[in-house]
Structure formats: C-alpha cells, structure tokens
Amino acid sequence: MDIGTLQAYAYFGFTAFLVVVLYSYIYHLYSAQKKGTRDYEKYGNIALNDEITDQPIEAISKNDEIK
Amino acid sequence: MENRPLEYDYTVAKWFMLVTVVLGIVGMLVGVILAWQMAFPGVNLMLGEGLAEYTNFSRLRPLHTDSVIFGFTLSGIWATWYYVGQRVLKVSMAESKFLMFLAKLHFFVYLLVVVAVVGTLLLGISTGKEYADFEWPIDIAVVVVWVLWGMGLFGLIGIRREKSLYISIWYYIATFLGIAMLYLFNNMEIPTYFASGGIGNWYHSVSMYSGTNDALVQWWYGHNAVAFGFTVPIVAMIYYFLPKESGQAVYSYKLSLLAFWGLMFVYLWAGGHHLIYSTVPDWMQTMGSVFSVVLILPSWGSAINMLLTMKGEWQQVAASPLIKFMILASTFYMFSTLEGPIQAIKSVNALAHFTDWIVGHVHDGVLGWVAFMIMAALFHMAPRVYKREIYSKSLMNTQFWVQTLGVVLYFTSMWIAGITQGMMWRAHDEFGNLAYSFIDTVAVLHPYFTIRAVGGTLYLVGMFLFAYNMYKTMTSARRVEESELQNASPMGA
Ligand code: HEM
C-alpha cells in the first residue's frame, strides 16, 4: 500500500469516526433531556434574562445561585 | 469612592458600532462605483485621466472586498461581541480594568490597520492574493489585533458569572479560533527584501506556497473565511438578538448545539468546491462537492431554529421592522446555503464557475444575510447603549424595503447574466468551434450589469438611511427608561 492509499483509508476512517461521535452526541443530548439528567432548554433563557442584576441561569459561584 | 450599582460598559461596543456604519458606507460606495464601472467603463475615469490609477476597477476591487469584509463585517462582529459577550456571561467590562484596557487597545490597533489597509490598497501595494491582499507588516499588525481580541474574549469568559456558555459564545469562540488558524497559514510569506539581501521594497513579500498548493491553501482559506467571517459570527448574532428582541427563547437549544458541531465538522472540508475542474486531485474536488451538499443540513438547522423561534409570534414580523430585518436575514441565509451547494455540484459548477452567478451568490448572502443581520443587531443595541429610542420606525421600514428591492435586483440580474455567460462560453458549432467570442458576452450582459448597479445603488441609499437613523438615535431621539428596554426595542414614529 502506498502512502496515498493509506491516507485515503485514514481519511475515510476518521470521517466515519467523527460521524459516529456526532450521532452519539445527538443521542446524548436528547436522552439526557428525556431522562431529566440535564435540562438543555433552560439555557435558552440566558439570552432573555441577561441584565447584570438577573440571577444567572446556572451560577459559577455559590453566592450567585438562585436560592 | 462612590458606590454606584454595577452596569454593563458599552464604551468599546459604541466605538465599533460607529466604525461599522462608516466602513459599511465606504465599502458599499466603492462596490457601487465598481458596479457602474462594469456597466459603463467610462466611470473608470471619473476623476480624469490623471487620477485614473486610483479610480480604475482593478485598484478599487480589493478595496471593496477588504473594506466590507474586514471593515464593515468585522467591526460589526466586534461591536456585537462587546455587547452580547458581557450580557450572556453576566459580567461587566467595568469589572476589570485590564480587560477594558485590552478592548480599547484592540480598537485602536484595529483602526491603525484599517488606515494602513486603505492607504496601501489605494497605492496599489498588495500581495495579489484575494482576501489576503495585505503585505507582511500589515499581516503582523492583524495578528496583534486578533491576539488582543482573543485575550479579551477568553478573559471575559474567565471572569463570568453564568456557568454555561450561551450558544452565541460558542460561535464567537469558533470565529476567533477559525480565523486565527486560517489567516496564519494562508498568509505565510517571505519578505523578499530581507530574503534577497536588499532587493526591492522592504514591505514586499511572496507567498510561501506556489502553484496548485497555493490554490489549495488559498481556497481552504477563502472558503473558510466565508465560514468563520460571514456565517459563524452572524449566526452568533442571530441566536442572541432574535430571541431577545422577540422575547422568545430559542426554539430548540439542543438543535442549536447540534447545528454548531455539525457546521464545525462539515465546513472545513468544503473549500475544494472553488477548485473544481482545476489541477487539484480529483478526490479533493469530489470531497469539496460532497461536503458542500452536506453543509445544507447544519446551515438549515440554525436557520430553521430561528424561524421556529417565531412560532406563534408571527404578528411581530409584521409589527416590527427590526424583526423583519432578522427574519429576512435568516431566510436569505437558507437561500444562499441552498444556492451554494447547488453551485458546488460538479456539472453545475462547470457552467457557473467564473461567471456572474457566483458574484450573485456572494451578494445574496452578504447583502441579504450578513449586512441585514449586522444592521438589525446595531438597531437593537442602539437604544440600550445610548438610552434613547430608535429615532424612526418608518425610516427603518423604508430602509428595509429599499434594500430588499436592491438585493433582489442584484441577485436576479446576476443569475441571468451568469447563466447567459456560461451558456455562451460553452456554445459551439458542429465542428467544435466556439460560437461566441468574449466581447459578444459583454455586449449581451450590459443591461444586467446596469440593473445590478441600480440595485446596488438602492442598497447604498438604504445604508445612508440607516446611518441617519443611527445618528439621530445617538444624538436626539427621546430618552428611554431601563424598563422600556426589556425585549422589543422602543422606536419613535
Ligand atoms: C451596495 C452594496 C454592494 C455592491 C453594489 C457591490 C458590488 C460588487 C461588485 C461590482 C463586485 C465585483 C464583481 C466582479 O468582479 O465581477 C463585488 C465583489 C465582491 N463583493 Fe460586493 N458589493 C456590495 C456589497 C458587498 C458586501 C456588503 C459584501 C460583504 C460583506 C461584499 C462582498 C464582496 C465579495 C466577497 C466580492 C468578491 C466576489 C467574487 O470574487 O466572486 N459586497 N461587489
């Protein structure tokens, strides 16, 4: 096998791998939402409640946490 | 020390807004001149024979592309970054003197680069690589600007209160990383003066790549400059401004994440579609084609997400010119991301390549999507940064319709021109002799070039309306209270 053929196989394999990763990610997103482990949709509110005085949707430090 | 409540600090956002408007007008004015030149070559001499060097098409064309891309669009991106970034991270620039200093430095070094670019391009100093026209000293300054922005970007993310990065932030990060990588690789160049021990001008350089390699790197760059300059950051804007202005959270946050990774994955491989039927390996051309077609999916993922965000709220489109701008922008996004893949199919490309259809495609994307979205973003920001309502709603509506008409005239005329051109170039008689010479096509295209110039002029008129409206908003519109700034932007009659 010359280097060109090798590259082509590697390229194909890598693409297939990334496709699998992408689809697993989709599966993860929707199943996590369904099982209730993580609510992704609430992050949409980050754009709406964006005054500096608003509570963060998910705070970094405990002080800013929604009580 | 006085104890004022913490507020977002929009100083740098305001500066960039101003530059966006000014460079938008400059860049599009040059575009309009080019368009009239193509219809009426006499315009090349509009300032007389003596100054023809500075007014001819070839001197002005790079000035157009660079000032609308690296001037208007980039400063629009930064204006929104210095606004959206703070808000969705819930941290004010005022909280860090260092970040504020970086941001101001970013702005001023960028202004210097703008002056240098306009000056050198007018003088005809250029590397001759499309969208990478700047000579090496300017390239170095560009890298400094980029690094300053990057430090500010990651610095602000570092001190945020909101743990999760809103989807727009992902897109801004991708813009930063994408362009950094592309720009560095494509602009690798050798300063001839230093390499040769003192021959020629000190600022002159030649690319490190040549031949087919140069073409490959150039279009990997060129196409992805569209990706990371015209798509990714504009998507960042619409994901923030449309939900905010309409008061509707994005329809599906999961879809937005998915479309993001899809776009990142697919876009980088599509550049080969610029080199179909050229001397690059056939498999690369095929790959470019295939990935271009696949690219419809993540592009439409975002666009449909935006349209669905308006579900049940379509009366807002009729009521608010600002929402109109954004909905039209996402519609044009869908439109040009369908058109592009069609042009990337090999057999279609054989007809379309080198014709005006490509120019039509570029401009339905940039005028309908990029510029509309940037203007909508600025309109939304204006009342919040100047604490005044948008000066005139009716002026906005007028601008919307004038510019929409302009875009439609632009791309329809270029479609007809492009396909006519393509057909005439390939037509031949029974012995295989070409049926037409080049000048035959030029004569046939004249009316369409004129229509394009009219369309472009209308768009430019809209830009002046926009600038006037922004100026009045800044200086004399009614002052508004914080409570009026929740969602829909306040507008005067
Ligand atoms: C009033 C608005 C505008 C007019 C009248 C206009 C006109 C033109 C003209 C006449 C050309 C040269 C086409 C050729 O060489 O055949 C051109 C090229 C180009 N313009 Fe514009 N333009 C406008 C706005 C914009 C904007 C806002 C952008 C981007 C943000 C843009 C990006 C480009 C690009 C990338 C090219 C190169 C296209 C290619 O090589 O295929 N233009 N424009």
Side-chain angles (χ1 to χ4, degrees):
Chain A
M1 226 174 355
D2 63 5
I3 179 85
T5 321
L6 215 68
Q7 273 176 336
Y9 278 118
Y11 176 74
F12 184 81
F14 189 57
T15 308
F17 169 72
L18 286 175
V19 169
V20 172
V21 170
L22 188 66
Y23 275 84
S24 322
Y25 181 58
I26 298 174
Y27 177 76
H28 160 77
L29 282 178
Y30 283 83
S31 71
Q33 179 94 37
K34 203 160 193 175
K35 285 193 223 128
T37 27
R38 195 154 180 197
D39 176 13
Y40 284 97
E41 293 308 324
K42 74 173 180 206
Y43 298 126
N45 292 326
I46 296 178
L48 299 183
N49 307 330
D50 63 345
E51 289 305 326
I52 194 125
T53 45
D54 286 340
Q55 294 281 3
I57 303 299
E58 211 175 69
I60 281 210
S61 95
K62 288 283 162 244
N63 305 337
D64 299 326
E65 201 78 75
I66 303 179
K67 305 267 159 39
Chain B
M1 236 170 74
E2 70 178 317
N3 212 350
R4 275 185 300 152
L6 188 58
E7 278 184 13
Y8 292 124
D9 188 323
Y10 298 129
T11 317
V12 181
K14 282 187 214 167
W15 294 349
F16 274 115
M17 284 167 77
L18 214 67
V19 176
T20 309
V21 178
V22 172
L23 290 180
I25 287 185
V26 172
M28 294 188 215
L29 176 66
V30 178
V32 169
I33 296 174
L34 293 178
W36 286 107
Q37 285 177 339
M38 291 187 81
F40 302 97
V43 181
N44 279 283
L45 300 176
M46 61 188 174
L47 297 182
E49 293 272 357
L51 291 173
E53 182 191 341
Y54 303 102
T55 56
N56 66 36
F57 183 86
S58 48
R59 193 58 72 81
L60 290 182
R61 194 183 189 278
L63 192 64
H64 166 61
T65 51
D66 287 323
S67 58
V68 286
I69 300 173
F70 300 113
F72 168 70
T73 307
L74 250 192
S75 45
I77 294 168
W78 285 327
T80 62
W81 158 254
Y82 284 109
Y83 177 89
V84 176
Q86 299 182 67
R87 297 190 68 107
V88 299
L89 297 169
K90 285 202 184 71
V91 53
S92 169
M93 297 282 293
E95 291 177 72
S96 163
K97 285 212 169 59
F98 178 62
L99 289 181
M100 199 65 198
F101 168 74
L102 278 185
K104 289 181 177 168
L105 195 62
H106 170 205
F107 178 82
F108 285 111
V109 182
Y110 170 71
L111 265 197
L112 275 181
V113 172
V114 169
V115 173
V117 163
V118 173
T120 52
L121 288 182
L122 271 179
L123 290 172
I125 298 170
S126 155
T127 61
K129 271 170 78 119
E130 199 173 12
Y131 318 123
D133 315 83
F134 316 145
E135 282 293 6
W136 67 268
I138 300 182
D139 283 335
I140 292 176
V142 170
V143 172
V144 172
V145 172
W146 211 254
V147 170
L148 286 171
W149 178 42
M151 286 165 69
L153 176 104
F154 290 110
L156 202 67
I157 291 175
I159 60 168
R160 71 192 188 277
R161 289 200 181 77
E162 185 67 73
K163 185 162 164 203
S164 233
L165 300 180
Y166 185 63
I167 186 68
S168 298
I169 301 289
W170 287 95
Y171 278 96
Y172 283 113
I173 295 176
T175 303
F176 171 76
L177 293 177
I179 303 267
M181 168 183 77
L182 296 161
Y183 199 88
L184 281 179
F185 278 102
N186 189 45
N187 284 289
M188 292 288 174
E189 57 211 345
I190 300 163
T192 43
Y193 179 86
F194 297 100
S196 66
I199 302 176
N201 288 321
W202 64 272
Y203 50 75
H204 184 258
S205 64
V206 291
S207 172
M208 224 141 88
Y209 316 102
S210 61
T212 298
N213 282 340
D214 188 39
L216 272 174
V217 178
Q218 168 69 18
W219 283 110
W220 170 75
Y221 165 81
H223 187 73
N224 288 303
V226 174
F228 291 97
F230 284 163
T231 304
V232 169
I234 313 298
V235 175
M237 290 179 201
I238 198 162
Y239 269 124
Y240 172 79
F241 289 104
L242 185 66
K244 184 69 185 173
E245 178 72 23
S246 67
Q248 301 290 104
V250 50
Y251 172 72
S252 165
Y253 197 80
K254 288 191 286 298
L255 178 57
S256 76
L257 293 173
L258 216 155
F260 175 81
W261 289 110
L263 198 73
M264 293 304 123
F265 173 39
V266 180
Y267 228 130
L268 284 164
W269 305 104
H273 66 215
H274 288 266
L275 297 165
I276 290 175
Y277 297 121
S278 72
T279 54
V280 308
D282 191 57
W283 69 269
M284 276 191 195
Q285 303 179 24
T286 306
M287 178 182 77
S289 267
V290 171
F291 273 91
S292 302
V293 174
V294 178
L295 199 50
I296 298 177
L297 290 173
S299 310
W300 280 44
S302 287
I304 288 179
N305 212 353
M306 285 303 111
L307 297 184
L308 285 173
T309 298
M310 296 308 292
K311 208 165 111 181
E313 292 289 325
W314 285 98
Q315 80 282 357
Q316 290 199 29
V317 181
S320 160
L322 226 169
I323 302 270
K324 266 201 204 76
F325 270 106
M326 290 196 264
I327 291 301
L328 196 89
S330 68
T331 312
F332 265 104
Y333 180 45
M334 294 178 80
F335 176 60
S336 52
T337 50
L338 180 65
E339 186 186 19
I342 291 174
Q343 293 182 330
I345 295 169
K346 280 187 178 179
S347 51
V348 180
N349 196 266
L351 176 75
H353 198 49
F354 294 129
T355 71
D356 284 316
W357 187 9
I358 306 295
V359 180
H361 166 63
V362 170
H363 289 87
D364 54 54
V366 292
L367 299 177
W369 157 238
V370 177
F372 264 36
M373 189 55 226
I374 291 176
M375 291 188 294
L378 262 56
F379 270 134
H380 174 95
M381 287 156 67
R384 280 125 185 129
V385 305
Y386 299 119
K387 303 278 179 272
R388 290 173 188 275
E389 68 181 4
I390 296 173
Y391 172 67
S392 166
K393 180 175 173 181
S394 58
L395 204 58
M396 251 173 114
N397 265 319
T398 312
Q399 181 201 337
F400 176 84
W401 289 112
V402 168
Q403 289 193 317
T404 302
L405 181 63
V407 184
V408 172
L409 287 178
Y410 196 127
F411 76 77
T412 48
S413 60
M414 288 298 101
W415 278 357
I416 302 175
I419 292 172
T420 307
Q421 222 172 7
M423 299 293 257
M424 287 176 80
W425 285 343
R426 58 158 66 171
H428 57 80
D429 65 14
E430 54 187 316
F431 305 110
N433 300 312
L434 290 179
Y436 301 102
S437 69
F438 189 76
I439 196 66
D440 296 330
T441 63
V442 176
V444 171
L445 297 182
H446 180 254
Y448 306 107
F449 281 166
T450 312
I451 296 174
R452 185 255 303 268
V454 171
T457 307
L458 285 177
Y459 203 90
L460 182 67
V461 168
M463 285 304 288
F464 280 109
L465 297 181
F466 171 59
Y468 177 73
N469 215 349
M470 289 295 278
Y471 172 74
K472 292 298 261 187
T473 303
M474 202 170 102
T475 53
S476 60
R478 179 181 66 87
R479 289 193 171 277
V480 290
E481 297 299 320
E482 204 58 53
S483 58
E484 293 175 69
L485 297 173
Q486 260 308 311
N487 296 123
S489 303
M491 302 171 194

